[in-house]
Amino acid sequence: MAEVTIKGAKELARKLERVDAAMERRILVNILGPAAKMLRDEVRRGARNHALSRSIGVTTSNVRGRIQHVKVGPAKKVRHLARWQEGGTNPHPIPKRRLHKRVMARDGIIYGTRVRHPGSRARPFVEPVYQHRQRRAVEMVAEALGREIAIVMR
């Protein structure tokens, strides 16, 4: 993990106490945004499903108007696809309720009302990006933090 040292932290803390929530949000978005977008773009390239790829985004969590963290990941609607691609699936039966009590058939071959999915192998696309780009993301945050501190300290 990278370590960042800030000189003049007490003076900076005094000045930051006077920064309102809107200004704090702008500062944090300017600091974390570019690194998060770089990670988002890399993760999108690794997703094999178009809907999954398009859903990868950057979100922030707020508590009383203040950003707590920035997250890169898929939308809730397709999060299951990301889990399946990242970790793979075990062989499993497809329940009848999913088949709507119909006969499964393809190309004239009748499979019946019970189908056993063979499973799929893992094709990680988030963890490799994190491992490969973690250092660059930290460097980007450190550079942006330096710029924002210089602006605040004026």
Side-chain angles (χ1 to χ4, degrees), residues 68-126:
Q68 296 300 307
H69 68 270
V70 175
K71 185 168 72 171
V72 176
K76 286 182 182 179
K77 191 174 184 178
V78 293
R79 201 166 285 157
H80 63 283
L81 296 175
R83 273 195 315 270
W84 294 342
Q85 182 178 332
E86 190 78 13
T89 62
N90 292 324
H92 59 277
I94 298 176
K96 279 187 179 182
R97 67 180 181 278
R98 295 257 170 102
L99 300 176
H100 303 289
K101 298 181 182 175
R102 285 184 270 148
V103 172
M104 290 290 290
R106 182 175 177 181
D107 299 329
I109 299 171
I110 298 174
Y111 296 105
T113 56
R114 294 184 201 192
V115 176
R116 182 138 181 90
H117 190 283
S120 63
R121 67 182 179 86
R123 292 187 175 109
F125 68 106
V126 177

Side-chain angles (χ1 to χ4, degrees), residues 3-154:
E3 213 174 284
V4 179
T5 304
I6 300 173
K7 294 181 182 176
K10 288 181 183 177
E11 182 184 351
L12 177 62
R14 281 195 303 274
K15 288 192 176 200
L16 287 176
E17 284 175 6
R18 295 188 301 240
V19 174
D20 65 348
M23 181 69 151
E24 181 181 300
R25 181 174 177 75
R26 184 191 69 79
I27 290 169
L28 286 174
V29 166
N30 287 345
I31 291 170
L32 300 174
K37 288 176 183 172
M38 181 266 301
L39 291 172
R40 176 201 63 199
D41 294 343
E42 292 281 331
V43 170
R44 279 182 176 173
R45 280 189 213 104
R48 293 178 158 261
N49 179 299
H50 183 67
L52 177 59
S53 176
R54 286 185 38 191
S55 81
I56 305 291
V58 177
T59 58
T60 58
S61 96
N62 300 302
V63 175
R64 292 189 288 280
R66 296 184 181 272
I67 294 176
Q68 296 300 307
H69 68 270
V70 175
K71 185 168 72 171
V72 176
K76 286 182 182 179
K77 191 174 184 178
V78 293
R79 201 166 285 157
H80 63 283
L81 296 175
R83 273 195 315 270
W84 294 342
Q85 182 178 332
E86 190 78 13
T89 62
N90 292 324
H92 59 277
I94 298 176
K96 279 187 179 182
R97 67 180 181 278
R98 295 257 170 102
L99 300 176
H100 303 289
K101 298 181 182 175
R102 285 184 270 148
V103 172
M104 290 290 290
R106 182 175 177 181
D107 299 329
I109 299 171
I110 298 174
Y111 296 105
T113 56
R114 294 184 201 192
V115 176
R116 182 138 181 90
H117 190 283
S120 63
R121 67 182 179 86
R123 292 187 175 109
F125 68 106
V126 177
E127 187 65 25
V129 168
Y130 176 74
Q131 294 298 326
H132 183 69
R133 292 294 188 180
Q134 179 181 11
R135 178 168 280 135
R136 178 64 188 132
V138 170
E139 289 169 357
M140 290 174 76
V141 168
E143 291 167 8
L145 180 60
R147 285 192 303 272
E148 290 297 326
I149 288 172
I151 291 169
V152 170
M153 296 298 277
R154 286 185 201 161

